[in-house]
Amino acid sequence: MSDVDNDIVLEIKDIHKSFDKLEVLQGINMQVRRGEVVAVIGPSGGGKSTLLRCATTLEKVDAGKIVIGGDVLCDDVDGRSVYCDKKLEKEIRSKFGLVFQNFNLFPHFSVRRNITEALIHVHKKSKAEADAICDGLLKKMDLEAKADEYPCNLSGGQQQRVSIARALATSPEIIFFDEPTSALDPELTKGVLTVIKELAQEKMTMVIVTHEMSFARDVADRIVFMDGGVIVEEGPAYDLVTNPQQDRTKAFLAGY
């Protein structure tokens, strides 16, 4: 177990990540507390999605430390990151949910099976338990009539709400969203953002990479602005959007 306090769900300490000779993350430090919503903003190529991929084990960092839900995913040893064993990594993965920009639903599974598959086969719930969890989430997402549909028969907004339901199904400690509305038109975007806003009101711990500035300002507790693989500025969401301190942040937000 880590020695961080129990209110810190995610701790990222001086992480570095390179692809070939390009250093995409250059010493990122970040903490997310229980019940906090953190929006990560910045230009394309600034490192936002790579940060999320490293936090969710989809990429391995070269150096630095990541702690999720009190368990150490990786730690720095002599300048390089050493990862925990596979058993602990599997436990850590069960502590977070991840919502992708392109939904990543299984096309050959029904909506119900997309949501219940991991509950039954990974979390060892009975089918009845998994179905009850699924039904509750579909009601929450206003998708009760879609349980037996396949993803191809749903709108993009409906598919993304199924993705959110799937992420919530395992009762994670934190949910990561990677540009959850970038593949949606404005009308469908509104429905997905409403769902995320409701989760924020319920004090769900979330990290959201987004280009929706007004949403970030109104829903997030804190905004982190990244560019060039570093955190340029961070602070309370409303303050950062309405009164940024760094010239690079001002220039970025001037485009919105």
Side-chain angles (χ1 to χ4, degrees):
M1 292 292 288
S2 165
D3 57 1
V4 298
D5 72 62
N6 291 330
D7 273 345
I8 297 174
V9 181
L10 174 69
E11 181 184 24
I12 289 171
K13 211 166 182 179
D14 196 26
I15 65 169
H16 293 256
K17 175 66 179 176
S18 295
F19 295 104
D20 296 321
K21 292 182 179 177
L22 178 65
E23 193 174 15
V24 180
L25 300 178
Q26 303 181 37
I28 300 292
N29 292 286
M30 184 176 172
Q31 287 186 340
V32 180
R33 303 187 81 83
R34 198 169 304 283
E36 188 178 28
V37 179
V38 177
V40 183
I41 65 170
S44 296
K48 307 183 303 297
S49 289
T50 301
L51 172 64
L52 230 61
R53 290 179 66 81
C54 290
T56 57
T57 74
L58 294 173
E59 297 282 356
K60 281 191 157 55
V61 299
D62 302 319
K65 180 177 183 178
I66 300 175
V67 184
I68 298 178
D71 287 323
V72 179
L73 173 66
C74 61
D75 204 350
D76 205 67
V77 179
D78 297 328
R80 69 182 187 90
S81 204
V82 176
Y83 275 73
C84 63
D85 60 49
K86 294 296 181 188
K87 182 170 181 282
L88 180 55
E89 188 171 322
K90 187 178 177 183
E91 287 178 26
I92 289 171
R93 280 203 193 104
S94 74
K95 295 187 175 194
F96 63 78
L98 177 57
V99 178
F100 300 90
Q101 53 185 303
N102 293 318
F103 323 134
N104 280 39
L105 297 172
F106 295 109
H108 55 296
F109 286 0
S110 67
V111 165
R112 179 177 298 283
R113 193 172 170 194
N114 263 286
I115 294 170
T116 60
E117 186 76 359
L119 287 172
I120 294 168
H121 295 289
V122 179
H123 296 271
K124 308 304 179 188
K125 302 278 188 190
S126 69
K127 186 176 185 307
E129 283 179 297
D131 281 341
I133 291 168
C134 176
D135 290 342
L137 287 167
L138 289 179
K139 184 175 182 181
K140 186 184 185 79
M141 299 294 154
D142 197 22
L143 292 170
E144 293 162 282
K146 303 295 184 182
D148 297 319
E149 297 279 2
Y150 285 83
C152 62
N153 297 323
L154 304 180
S155 71
Q158 289 170 334
Q159 288 187 61
Q160 193 59 297
R161 280 182 279 150
V162 173
S163 296
I164 296 171
R166 181 177 63 181
L168 287 167
T170 56
S171 300
E173 294 190 37
I174 183 170
I175 297 186
F176 297 92
F177 293 84
D178 187 8
E179 302 276 11
T181 59
S182 67
L184 305 177
D185 65 38
E187 190 175 350
L188 297 177
T189 290
K190 188 177 177 185
V192 171
L193 293 181
T194 298
V195 168
I196 298 173
K197 188 180 288 190
E198 287 169 358
L199 293 176
Q201 289 166 351
E202 294 168 13
K203 294 298 179 186
M204 181 74 218
T205 311
M206 296 185 280
V207 175
I208 308 167
V209 171
T210 183
H211 280 111
E212 302 282 343
M213 290 306 127
S214 58
F215 169 75
R217 178 197 65 208
D218 296 341
V219 174
D221 298 298
R222 187 158 48 93
I223 290 178
V224 171
F225 172 62
M226 287 184 68
D227 188 23
V230 300
I231 292 175
V232 176
E233 184 172 353
E234 64 179 301
Y238 185 82
D239 294 350
L240 188 138
V241 172
T242 58
N243 187 28
Q245 301 301 302
Q246 301 297 321
D247 289 343
R248 183 65 190 93
T249 318
K250 291 174 185 176
F252 175 76
L253 290 171
Y256 287 90

